[in-house]
Structures are given as structure tokens and as C-alpha cells.
Amino acid sequence: MKFGPGPRGYLGTIGQYALGSGASFGFFMMIGSCIRSDADRLSAQDRDALRKNMERWRAPASTPMAVYFARSAKA
């Protein structure tokens, strides 16, 4: 805004900038959503195989803090 707000005024200039930025953001979010939703097209067999492999690498659940503190209090 080196030369002032221009013919639209301050609010019009800022509004135009905000709408342009919002439109660009929405456009790229639309593209990203389309790309991401494309992964939902797995067959049932592929989905089951993926789930089984994920189960194999899942870390065991850690001990809850309440149990840990109850054990240390008894000791």
C-alpha cells in the first residue's frame, strides 16, 4: 500500500485480497481432497490384508498411569 488504497478504498482493497486468497486456498484444498479420496478405492481383500499388516506392527498398549502409581505405592 505504498501509493494509498486506490479507487476501491482500504476496505475494498483488503476485501479483494482476502477473496483472492480464499479462492486460491479453496482451489488447492479441492485438488488435495480429490487426491486423498482416491485412496478409498481399495478392494475388500486389499483392505483386509492392509489391516492385518497394520495389526502386526501395532505397539502394545502401555500400562495406565493409575496402575503404575498404585503399584509403586504398595512397594
Side-chain angles (χ1 to χ4, degrees):
M1 297 226 185
K2 186 175 181 181
F3 299 108
R8 295 178 178 263
Y10 287 107
L11 190 59
T13 303
I14 291 173
Q16 183 180 9
Y17 178 78
L19 284 174
S21 297
S24 297
F25 176 76
F27 177 72
F28 287 110
M29 283 294 285
M30 177 187 65
I31 291 172
S33 296
C34 290
I35 292 170
R36 186 173 174 91
S37 66
D38 194 39
D40 292 340
R41 297 181 184 163
L42 291 174
S43 68
Q45 184 179 6
D46 291 338
R47 211 176 3 249
D48 290 338
L50 183 62
R51 197 171 287 134
K52 286 178 185 175
N53 286 331
M54 288 174 68
E55 292 285 333
R56 180 171 34 146
W57 294 105
R58 183 170 293 169
S62 61
T63 307
M65 287 301 237
V67 174
Y68 175 75
F69 286 122
R71 287 181 190 165
S72 62
K74 291 179 183 178

